[in-house]
């Protein structure tokens, strides 16, 4: 059964990595904790991100930092080979071995304001694991850059 987000929450439409880098400091939604999806597309689908598509390569969360800071850490590891994000290192390793889907990297986010729920960190972690499990149920494997 496909996972449904609680409380009418929805992920943003997909944006390119370049667009994220241009807007991460000015876009308020990047200044909140929450979740983020990374996927490769030649052309991303329109509308809010679907949660169980094979192009998703990573499902991430942050409860104590902002989404923008956590994504910066991902790209620092993936692009500059510096510490900060294990998923970024996995991405780097897989990209050099051509083991990622073709297309450009895109991002979808789900900011969760700290005042949405008293225990929003638990909600964020629940959603991350539920999405990963949903992908495993549909595709038989987790996103390639996620590990336990």
């Amino acid at each position: 059964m496909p996972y449904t987000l609680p409380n009418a929450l929805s992920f943003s439409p997909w944006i390119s990595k370049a667009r994220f880098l241009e807007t991460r400091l000015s876009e308020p939604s990047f200044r909140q904790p929450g979740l983020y999806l990374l996927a490769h597309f030649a052309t991303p689908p329109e509308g809010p991100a679907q949660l169980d598509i094979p192009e998703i390569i990573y499902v991430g969360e942050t409860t104590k930092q902002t989404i923008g800071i956590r994504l910066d850490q991902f790209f620092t590891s993936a692009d500059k080979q510096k510490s900060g994000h294990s998923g970024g290192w996995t991405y780097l390793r897989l990209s050099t071995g051509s083991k990622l889907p073709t297309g450009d990297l895109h991002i979808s986010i789900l900011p969760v304001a700290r005042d949405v729920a008293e225990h929003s960190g638990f909600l964020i972690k629940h959603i991350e694991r539920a999405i990963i499990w949903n992908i495993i149920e549909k595709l038989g494997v987790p996103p390639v850059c996620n590990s336990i």
Side-chain angles (χ1 to χ4, degrees):
M1 182 169 167
Y3 179 69
T4 305
L5 291 170
N7 305 324
L9 297 172
S10 66
F11 275 83
S12 69
W14 294 101
I15 63 166
S16 67
K17 175 185 172 184
R19 180 85 174 126
F20 163 74
L21 293 173
E22 291 169 5
T23 61
R24 71 185 187 277
L25 299 176
S26 60
E27 175 59 46
S29 57
F30 291 125
R31 289 187 245 139
Q32 297 183 59
L35 297 108
Y36 53 99
L37 307 173
L38 301 176
H40 275 248
F41 301 106
T43 303
E46 292 189 20
Q50 293 179 296
L51 305 180
D52 59 358
I53 56 175
E55 293 87 355
I56 294 175
I57 59 163
Y58 189 76
V59 179
E61 58 82 12
T62 180
T63 60
K64 296 187 175 22
Q65 301 177 48
T66 68
I67 294 170
I69 288 171
R70 195 66 183 134
L71 284 168
D72 278 339
Q73 292 168 343
F74 182 94
F75 294 126
T76 296
S77 294
D79 298 339
K80 300 176 183 173
Q81 302 179 6
K82 294 186 178 182
S83 63
H85 198 296
S86 62
W89 278 101
T90 302
Y91 182 84
L92 173 66
R93 181 175 48 81
L94 294 174
S95 65
T96 57
S98 300
K99 295 181 181 165
L100 294 172
T102 58
D104 296 321
L105 186 62
H106 288 78
I107 301 159
S108 176
I109 65 169
L110 173 60
V112 178
R114 289 181 178 98
D115 61 351
V116 164
E118 181 180 353
H119 304 291
S120 60
F122 289 100
L123 175 63
I124 291 167
K125 289 181 181 293
H126 162 74
I127 293 171
E128 180 207 28
R129 293 301 173 181
I131 292 170
I132 293 170
W133 184 249
N134 191 53
I135 291 170
I136 291 169
E137 282 189 316
K138 181 173 181 183
L139 304 176
V141 294
V144 296
C145 293
N146 280 103
S147 61
I148 295 201

